[in-house]
Amino acid sequence: HYQANPGTTPGTDGEWETEPTEPQPYRTRLYVVRPADAAKFNGVLQVNWQNVTANVDLGSPGGDEVFRGYAWAGITTQKIGVDGVPGVTKGLTAWDPTRYGALHHPGDAWSYDIYEQGARLLRDGPAPGQPDPLGGLRPKLTIATGSSQSAMRLGSYINAAQQHHPPAVLQLVAHA
């Protein structure tokens, strides 16, 4: 979670002065699609900020990326994706409690940390003895993707959060 430094206000120039606040525990989902044959991996990983514009967690690889050797990962980054909107939509925890019941999201203010940590795990690999979502693949290029409001959240991530985690993990590709 990040907030503007005391006495500053985030402007439209993207040069935001922010500071981290207290971390919170969370458990989220990484949805990974990768070439079955590691030799066909082209070294490019797309890390998608899953979209919740429709009040559910949405996102999947577009086009034929996976068939051309890309790896794709969607990170359930926002609270609506986990918990849904009461009386309107089910989040992952209610949709499939057996599979997703252990997910926990502290709130969208922490979505930037969740995205950053997921992207780093995917790019750098897990700690020894931990499961590897990419099955041993290590990307040469990691690209941030998101559509609609997720693209806007990625812009805020670049302005508010990425400066606290050098070196930058991602190159940004956002679609309106």
Side-chain angles (χ1 to χ4, degrees):
H1 178 245
Y2 301 90
Q3 64 186 16
N5 286 354
T8 68
T9 302
T12 58
D13 62 2
E15 309 242 347
W16 297 0
E17 295 181 34
T18 62
E19 61 187 18
T21 61
E22 289 298 314
Q24 293 289 320
Y26 70 90
R27 181 175 289 220
T28 196
R29 172 181 81 152
L30 296 175
Y31 165 30
V32 177
V33 180
R34 56 186 163 87
D37 180 354
K40 293 184 179 177
F41 179 50
N42 67 8
V44 178
L45 168 65
Q46 297 176 17
V47 180
N48 194 62
W49 184 302
Q50 294 293 85
N51 191 293
V52 295
T53 300
N55 295 320
V56 294
D57 195 53
L58 297 172
S60 61
D64 295 326
E65 284 91 349
V66 175
F67 301 107
R68 292 188 307 238
Y70 292 80
W72 181 95
I75 301 176
T76 299
T77 309
Q78 292 180 257
K79 187 169 180 59
I80 288 175
V82 173
D83 296 330
V85 177
V88 178
T89 59
K90 290 182 177 181
L92 292 169
T93 55
W95 177 67
D96 189 341
T98 302
R99 188 172 190 172
Y100 299 118
L103 300 185
H104 166 73
H105 199 297
D108 281 357
W110 286 270
S111 61
Y112 306 109
D113 294 308
I114 292 169
Y115 187 79
E116 170 81 24
Q117 291 168 18
R120 282 193 187 274
L121 167 70
L122 292 160
R123 185 195 69 183
D124 299 340
Q130 295 298 310
D132 186 350
L134 288 177
L137 300 178
R138 286 298 150 259
K140 295 175 187 164
L141 175 63
T142 305
I143 302 171
T145 62
S147 297
S148 188
Q149 65 86 28
S150 297
M152 290 184 285
R153 301 281 300 181
L154 281 170
S156 295
Y157 163 79
I158 297 293
N159 294 335
Q162 193 172 47
Q163 63 186 290
H164 298 285
H165 303 281
V169 135
L170 305 157
Q171 293 191 15
L172 180 63
V173 176
H175 304 283

